[in-house]
Amino acid sequence: MSRYFQSVSLSDVGLHRTENEDSAWAGATILAVADGLGGHAAGEIASSLAIRTISELEKSSLTERNAETVVVETFLTINQSLAQRIKKKSELRGMGTTLTALFLGKEKLYLAHLGDSRAYVIRDGRITQLTKDHTVVQELLDQGRISPDEVDGHPQRSFITKALMGADQHERPDFHEIEHVAGDIFLLCSDGLVGVVEEKKIIKSIAAHGVTEQTLSELKDLAYKKGAPDNLTIIVATLSSKKVPTPGFVGAVEGGE
């Protein structure tokens, strides 16, 4: 039986930024969030390029045999495209983007990830993080050099260790098959949400309203109450046997870059 994503999405500049450098795609078989790095127009260019490229895989048929190869090669293509842009315009040097994407293949669900945007699954009232942050703080946690309680106020919290940067040494994305059951709700977001809103409040909102615009509005309000210091991008989705209209592009990518 065919399955498709049923989703809602938003991207917002927040309260302290003048530009939205986040981009996202919510399609029938792919969900993806990219948080642009580099400031000014550069971050917008990087995230837009990444999302437009990854969205093209909607035209592909990912199978258990080819999924990892196709997705990893697409990440490499994005990196090469960024390198070409930087070569043509030196002022873009230093730009890059995170990219977190969920793919609905013929048989299974797959996740690819670079950076500190995140993917979660909400099941039976519990939220589970599906991605692992590529950050200095996460490395310190893994090494036991800091405790979870020290993360929020850590001075290196926002330092990313892996992203799509157009570098010669391309970072291979984390790639996983994702287990899923009926009723699962997926959340993809930039750190503009999870950096300020507690997971228990995210669960409460999604449990109360499900895959609806009301959930998006409530999560945005929660971020705003915490000052919304960064761009904010959210996709909430579930699996459906019916193909429904999809939100498509949101964020900087809507500007046509």
Side-chain angles (χ1 to χ4, degrees), residues 4 10 15 33 37 64 97 114 134 144 148 165-166 172 175 177 182 189 206 212 236 243 245 248:
Y4 308 95
L10 72 75
L15 293 173
V33 169
L37 314 170
E64 191 172 0
T97 184
L114 272 178
H134 296 136
M165 301 288 293
R172 180 183 175 90
F175 184 88
E177 177 189 324
C189 59
I206 292 175
T212 65
V236 182
K243 191 172 184 179

Side-chain angles (χ1 to χ4, degrees), residues 196-207:
V196 294
V197 180
E198 299 92 334
E199 288 184 357
K200 63 182 180 180
K201 291 185 177 179
I202 292 172
I203 297 172
K204 184 177 179 181
S205 179
I206 292 175

Side-chain angles (χ1 to χ4, degrees), residues 15-241:
L15 293 173
H16 292 270
R17 300 293 180 92
T18 58
E19 305 272 351
N20 188 356
E21 295 183 315
D22 286 359
S23 294
W25 167 259
T29 61
I30 299 173
L31 309 174
V33 169
D35 182 350
L37 314 170
H40 306 296
E44 296 176 22
I45 291 171
S47 70
S48 296
L49 188 154
I51 289 298
R52 288 197 179 278
T53 305
I54 212 74
S55 71
E56 287 294 311
L57 292 184
E58 289 271 356
K59 301 172 185 176
S60 302
S61 181
L62 296 181
T63 66
E64 191 172 0
R65 180 176 294 181
N66 72 9
E68 183 169 4
T69 298
V70 170
V71 171
V72 171
E73 286 183 353
T74 302
F75 271 65
L76 176 59
T77 296
I78 294 167
N79 190 69
Q80 291 171 335
S81 297
L82 291 174
Q84 291 168 3
R85 290 287 188 99
I86 292 167
K87 188 175 181 179
K88 289 178 180 178
K89 290 187 177 182
S90 59
E91 63 267 28
L92 297 179
R93 188 171 303 279
M95 79 170 177
T97 184
T98 70
L99 182 58
T100 300
L102 199 59
F103 303 88
L104 186 53
K106 277 192 170 182
E107 305 95 352
K108 299 182 178 180
L109 196 61
Y110 306 99
L111 177 71
H113 165 73
L114 272 178
D116 66 348
S117 297
R118 291 183 180 178
Y120 294 86
V121 62
I122 293 88
R123 179 186 301 163
D124 298 329
R126 296 183 178 181
I127 187 168
T128 301
Q129 186 174 335
L130 300 174
T131 51
K132 186 172 184 178
D133 293 347
H134 296 136
T135 60
V136 170
V137 164
Q138 184 64 54
E139 289 184 355
L140 294 174
L141 274 172
D142 292 345
Q143 295 163 8
R145 295 169 62 184
I146 63 172
S147 69
D149 293 338
E150 295 176 275
V151 169
D152 285 347
H154 199 280
Q156 294 179 307
R157 181 179 176 183
S158 61
F159 288 16
I160 294 176
T161 56
K162 294 182 181 181
L164 291 161
M165 301 288 293
D168 293 336
Q169 186 69 31
H170 170 60
E171 296 287 0
R172 180 183 175 90
D174 295 343
F175 184 88
H176 307 286
E177 177 189 324
I178 301 298
E179 297 288 337
H180 62 282
V181 300
D184 281 353
I185 296 179
F186 299 97
L187 167 68
L188 272 70
C189 59
S190 61
D191 64 342
L193 175 67
V194 291
V196 294
V197 180
E198 299 92 334
E199 288 184 357
K200 63 182 180 180
K201 291 185 177 179
I202 292 172
I203 297 172
K204 184 177 179 181
S205 179
I206 292 175
H209 308 299
V211 183
T212 65
E213 295 291 338
Q214 189 170 352
T215 296
L216 296 178
S217 179
E218 191 166 288
L219 292 175
K220 176 183 170 181
D221 287 346
L222 289 169
Y224 268 57
K225 287 177 182 177
K226 290 297 186 71
D230 200 355
N231 302 151
L232 171 71
T233 299
I234 308 167
I235 301 173
V236 182
T238 191
L239 292 176
S240 172
S241 60

